[in-house]
Amino acid sequence: MTTVYRRRKRQFLQLVLTCFSCCFILIYWEQLDVNVISHLKSYSYRYLINKYSFLNDSMSLNKEIAARLHNYQYLITHENKCQDQDVLLLLFVKSSPKNSHRRDAIRQTWGNEQYIYSELKAIIKVIFVLGIHKDLSQRKRVQRNLLVEDQQHSDLIQQDFYDDFHNLTLKLIFQFEWANTFCKNAKFVMSSDDDVFIHTPNLINYLLQLDKEIMNFWIGRVHRGAPPIRNKESKYYVPYEMYQWPSYPDYTAGAGYVVSQDVAVKVYKALMTLNTSLYIDDVFMGICAKMMEVPPQNHIYFAGEGKAPYHPCIYNQMMTSHGHVKDVHHLWREATHAKVTSLTSGFWGQLYCRLIKVFLLCKPYYVDTYPCIAAFS
Ligand SMILES: *[C@@H]1O[C@H](CO)[C@@H](O)[C@H](O)[C@H]1NC(C)=O
Ligand SMILES: *[C@@H]1O[C@H](CO)[C@@H](O)[C@H](O)[C@H]1NC(C)=O
Ligand SMILES: *[C@@H]1O[C@H](CO)[C@@H](O)[C@H](O)[C@H]1NC(C)=O
């Protein structure tokens, strides 16, 4: 009797649970659809089908129309910036006209060209890339300040389009156009944001170690098989007409990526043939690179949206970290302090850092920072 009763009870419980799950799924179907289904679709497309036929006419433009679309006037530029110099890295920082404080902080810290030259004997050019202020009532004043700022530092370039999130692809074109026109002698080109911290000494040392003839080089935090977001509420909403495929090609997060000179040339060529309505600039860069058959390489110490933990054992290897505005000076002092090397070298230093990094990066829950494997590199 009792076993039958128990079995019935279990069956009943199972039934209730199943019903409950079904209700739950039905109620939250939309969110599930957005998050799970689109990722499933995207991954299967990326890894099973993977025929991005970007060259079909839906994204290409004829040359004249494309040329007209990209034709914005230069308001501030520095044509001789790279002339007759052996430039290792041309480093673009996407900035907004009003963010002069951020630019100053960068000039005084990781973007200090003189520091890099005196410490590492490498020539880098840090250039802030701007559009025009969108608000007409403030534009004149902001523009006047920009001209003063540029007279002092000679490191701004500006084109005549609204500086807006939805115009980031125009800014992408601006960067590659400028690099291809005025700084063809730079070995590497980087794009980043003004709220990103770049450990330039680590980065420069890394670039100096690479093969001098390196080609097809594109490195950053790689997103693989990311689906386009079809939810109209999202900042990254992309309608079907703009992008028809269920998955984006692999691309590096716009917060910081580096390409070799030949890739900068190829991407620029591709840019000039495409409809630029897709405003997510890093995805767009991915599309261009895919057209040119340049695959991105992931580097575990490049951050996407994530922020590096504050610790000398991390500073030792970090390349980029996202979301730094107020703490740039502090982080720069700490990250370049002599104690970083002394603390992290030698057998005991390395062992200590391995443990610290496992503790900082390998959490049982998700933290947006470097991946756990970075602790073992
Ligand atoms: C381009 O490809 C997409 C998706 O595969 C397809 O829906 C569209 O019709 C194609 N467009 C042209 C013009 O071939
Ligand atoms: C992008 O810039 C162009 C040129 O200034 C402007 O017409 C357009 O409205 C801008 N787009 C957005 C979304 O601000
Ligand atoms: C670019 O694509 C958009 C759809 O995303 C379309 O509305 C627009 O007309 C296209 N532009 C050109 C110049 O073909």
Side-chain angles (χ1 to χ4, degrees):
M1 268 311 270
T2 47
T3 47
V4 171
Y5 174 73
R6 255 195 228 139
R7 201 188 315 143
R8 289 240 170 100
K9 193 175 159 196
R10 207 171 60 213
Q11 280 172 344
F12 178 72
L13 263 176
Q14 275 175 350
L15 195 72
V16 168
L17 264 178
T18 313
C19 283
F20 183 76
S21 317
C22 285
C23 291
F24 187 81
I25 289 176
L26 278 177
I27 293 169
Y28 290 101
W29 180 248
E30 228 172 321
Q31 277 95 319
L32 270 181
D33 184 41
V34 170
N35 289 319
V36 180
I37 311 290
S38 70
H39 275 89
L40 276 180
K41 261 182 13 196
S42 166
Y43 279 126
S44 42
Y45 188 79
R46 160 69 177 78
Y47 289 103
L48 302 178
I49 308 172
N50 197 14
K51 266 190 297 187
Y52 300 85
S53 36
F54 297 107
L55 290 171
N56 92 0
D57 295 342
S58 68
M59 286 199 89
S60 307
L61 291 176
N62 89 28
K63 268 207 176 115
E64 281 156 34
I65 295 178
R68 216 177 316 134
L69 283 183
H70 304 153
N71 195 11
Y72 290 98
Q73 199 194 338
Y74 285 16
L75 299 177
I76 306 176
T77 183
H78 295 280
E79 304 189 349
N80 303 326
K81 191 91 184 166
C82 299
Q83 216 171 36
D84 304 324
Q85 292 181 68
D86 192 11
V87 179
L88 178 73
L89 177 68
L90 171 62
L91 204 171
F92 289 122
V93 183
K94 292 170 274 178
S95 186
S96 298
K98 277 174 110 171
N99 292 352
S100 61
H101 290 296
R102 294 190 188 183
R103 291 192 287 276
D104 277 335
I106 291 171
R107 287 180 187 114
Q108 288 155 16
T109 58
W110 59 261
N112 186 337
E113 296 171 1
Q114 281 81 35
Y115 175 89
I116 297 295
Y117 188 72
S118 64
E119 293 290 312
L120 302 158
K121 297 284 163 288
I123 299 179
I124 70 167
K125 298 287 167 188
V126 178
I127 292 188
F128 298 96
V129 189
L130 307 160
I132 54 176
H133 198 281
K134 219 177 154 178
D135 182 353
L136 190 62
S137 63
Q138 295 184 49
R139 191 179 303 152
K140 262 210 169 125
R141 183 179 55 79
V142 173
Q143 194 63 22
R144 230 181 295 127
N145 293 344
L146 277 183
L147 290 173
V148 172
E149 183 183 335
D150 187 59
Q151 252 172 9
Q152 212 174 349
H153 301 286
S154 307
D155 59 0
L156 305 182
I157 62 174
Q158 188 189 34
Q159 224 176 10
D160 185 17
F161 57 77
Y162 291 166
D163 202 297
D164 183 85
F165 175 75
H166 289 91
N167 266 342
L168 273 177
T169 295
L170 295 181
K171 211 173 245 193
L172 179 79
I173 298 173
F174 184 20
Q175 294 166 70
F176 279 90
E177 180 181 284
W178 201 90
N180 272 276
T181 317
F182 303 117
C183 205
K184 270 203 120 131
N185 47 330
K187 286 209 180 62
F188 297 96
V189 178
M190 179 167 193
S191 180
S192 71
D193 286 321
D194 63 5
D195 63 344
V196 168
F197 182 90
I198 303 177
H199 197 302
T200 31
N202 285 355
L203 177 67
I204 298 300
N205 277 324
Y206 173 75
L207 294 178
L208 285 171
Q209 277 166 22
L210 294 172
D211 185 352
K212 290 220 160 39
E213 306 298 317
I214 195 159
M215 303 264 279
N216 255 18
F217 176 81
W218 172 24
I219 204 163
R221 165 62 60 93
V222 179
H223 293 290
R224 292 183 207 281
I229 293 174
R230 306 296 192 197
N231 174 6
K232 287 200 172 119
E233 314 285 297
S234 167
K235 185 180 171 191
Y236 298 103
Y237 166 66
V238 166
Y240 186 79
E241 303 81 59
M242 225 181 247
Y243 189 88
Q244 290 125 355
W245 296 270
S247 169
Y248 289 136
D250 299 349
Y251 66 94
T252 50
Y257 56 85
V258 183
V259 297
S260 53
Q261 179 60 49
D262 61 304
V263 173
V265 172
K266 286 182 191 165
V267 168
Y268 180 55
K269 275 194 187 138
L271 277 172
M272 298 312 283
T273 66
L274 289 175
N275 181 334
T276 54
S277 64
L278 183 65
Y279 51 78
I280 306 176
D281 61 330
D282 42 11
V283 169
F284 199 78
M285 153 84 187
I287 292 172
C288 297
K290 177 79 188 171
M291 274 178 73
M292 298 314 226
E293 304 288 335
V294 181
Q297 295 166 45
N298 194 45
H299 189 297
I300 42 184
Y301 280 104
F302 273 75
E305 291 296 306
K307 198 169 191 167
Y310 297 91
H311 200 282
C313 291
I314 299 287
Y315 304 152
N316 194 28
Q317 285 173 296
M318 74 188 288
M319 292 287 188
T320 72
S321 175
H322 202 165
H324 299 276
V325 175
K326 296 225 165 75
D327 58 350
V328 176
H329 282 102
H330 171 75
L331 184 53
W332 175 248
R333 264 196 312 275
E334 292 292 306
T336 53
H337 200 282
K339 74 173 180 228
V340 173
T341 323
S342 57
L343 194 73
T344 58
S345 54
F347 177 76
W348 293 112
Q350 280 175 15
L351 187 66
Y352 166 72
C353 277
R354 170 82 23 108
L355 293 174
I356 291 285
K357 283 193 288 183
V358 167
F359 175 73
L360 290 173
L361 303 176
C362 304
K363 305 263 188 193
Y365 48 90
Y366 178 71
V367 187
D368 196 0
T369 182
Y370 304 124
C372 175
I373 47 163
F376 301 95
S377 66

